[in-house]
Amino acid sequence: MNRNIGTEEAIKRWDSFADTYSANHTEQGDLHKEVFLNPTLLSLMEPVRNKNILDAGCGEGYLSRMLARSEATVTAVDYSSRMIEIAKGRTPNDLLIDYRQGNCEDLYCLEDKRFDLIVSNMVIQDLANYEKAFQEMYRLLVDGGCFIFSILHPCFVTPESGWEKTKDGKKLHWNVDKYFYEGVYEQGLGDKEKMLFFHRTLTSYINTLIKTGFILESIIEPKPSKEMLEKYPSFEEDFRCADFIVFKLKK
């Protein structure tokens, strides 16, 4: 695929996919967010009451609403104008969330050292210039503030990865290939849509965070809890490899 394809094309595709994507989200997000990401993100947050929080790449806004209901002051940005429209439409009038269209690579509309906490849930892999996005998150945090973000696990979700199956569809093992390729690739979501993801190695992510100035506090590779397995038994297969990785960093 053309390595020159960048964030602008990703924005166009997310605008087109926004309604389909949002239709699969409840107030807990989609199933993977409910099972893996929400418990992990919330476990990494200190109490959010009265804190200024940025939801960086808010999508249809479920996490922003969760945080606002916990009495945080929430600003939410997304580079898809359609996502922001949907998020506003799903937000009750009593939740005072400041929604703005904005690309996390350049949030010029927001002033320095504004936020106590920034959360970016499954967004960084949708950005061509992740280095600039990390710099923006660092700029926007108060000294001592935290940046928590989740992404597809770069060691297992690569430009060519997927289940090896028998002829009758039994899953044998998870294949990984092209791990050291760094750049854009397409992945099918929904029935027709091919979305753009930007792959980097784990080395690149961690070294870039350190270079930006962040202090790494925690890394979690989420697994389904006993309670979630009782509710959704099919997620037992997710003990075979990690789908996601979550970072907590301090400025």
Side-chain angles (χ1 to χ4, degrees):
M1 192 169 183
N2 186 349
R3 285 176 179 260
N4 294 323
I5 294 176
T7 302
E8 289 304 314
E9 178 62 24
I11 294 171
K12 291 177 185 178
R13 298 194 189 195
W14 274 110
D15 275 333
S16 297
F17 187 49
D19 288 272
T20 302
Y21 174 84
S22 299
N24 294 322
H25 277 61
T26 68
E27 287 304 287
Q28 292 293 316
D30 62 19
L31 269 183
H32 285 90
K33 294 185 177 77
E34 180 183 351
V35 173
F36 298 97
L37 296 171
N38 295 348
T40 303
L41 294 171
L42 294 173
S43 74
L44 291 172
M45 294 182 199
E46 298 172 359
V48 300
R49 187 170 183 256
N50 297 326
K51 287 190 175 180
N52 288 319
I53 299 178
L54 175 64
D55 187 355
C58 63
E60 55 76 56
Y62 90 92
L63 185 58
S64 296
R65 295 189 292 274
M66 289 176 66
L67 295 169
R69 289 189 177 103
S70 296
E71 300 183 60
T73 300
V74 181
T75 301
V77 299
D78 200 278
Y79 64 18
S80 165
S81 59
R82 179 58 187 148
M83 283 291 194
I84 291 295
E85 290 175 5
I86 294 169
K88 288 180 177 178
R90 292 187 172 192
T91 301
N93 291 333
D94 62 334
L95 290 181
L96 302 179
I97 299 169
D98 181 10
Y99 286 110
R100 305 189 188 194
Q101 183 182 2
N103 181 353
C104 291
E105 296 167 339
D106 187 4
L107 292 173
Y108 60 88
C109 59
L110 299 173
E111 64 269 22
D112 295 358
K113 298 185 178 182
R114 174 169 175 176
F115 300 102
D116 304 301
L117 170 66
I118 298 176
V119 181
S120 186
N121 191 17
M122 300 301 292
V123 175
I124 301 298
Q125 71 253 331
D126 300 330
L127 302 172
N129 194 341
Y130 74 113
E131 299 98 331
K132 188 63 169 63
F134 287 160
Q135 291 166 14
E136 283 292 87
M137 301 304 105
Y138 192 86
R139 176 182 69 83
L140 293 169
L141 279 173
V142 300
D143 293 340
C146 287
F147 174 38
I148 299 171
F149 74 96
S150 62
I151 54 172
L152 294 168
H153 201 306
C155 298
F156 301 105
V157 184
T158 66
E160 292 187 13
S161 61
W163 286 107
E164 181 81 17
K165 299 180 181 179
T166 63
K167 291 181 179 180
D168 60 1
K170 180 182 177 181
K171 294 175 180 177
L172 296 173
H173 54 262
W174 183 262
N175 289 330
V176 172
D177 199 4
K178 294 193 175 180
Y179 172 70
F180 285 105
Y181 165 84
E182 298 211 355
V184 65
Y185 70 102
E186 289 184 328
Q187 186 172 88
L189 295 178
D191 295 329
K192 301 177 182 178
E193 293 82 3
K194 287 188 176 181
M195 307 307 292
L196 297 180
F197 290 148
F198 299 88
H199 177 69
R200 300 106 192 177
T201 65
L202 191 58
T203 295
S204 292
Y205 273 118
I206 292 176
N207 285 344
T208 300
L209 289 163
I210 293 170
K211 182 180 178 181
T212 303
F214 283 111
I215 299 169
L216 180 60
E217 288 205 332
S218 182
I219 295 176
I220 298 177
E221 296 163 301
K223 297 177 291 187
S225 66
K226 179 181 177 181
E227 293 74 21
M228 285 298 175
L229 282 177
E230 289 174 354
K231 188 175 181 180
Y232 304 112
S234 65
F235 282 102
E236 180 71 36
E237 71 180 26
D238 287 87
F239 283 101
R240 298 174 70 176
C241 69
D243 294 325
F244 309 103
I245 188 167
V246 183
F247 297 81
K248 180 179 182 180
L249 305 119
K250 181 169 282 190
K251 178 177 177 179

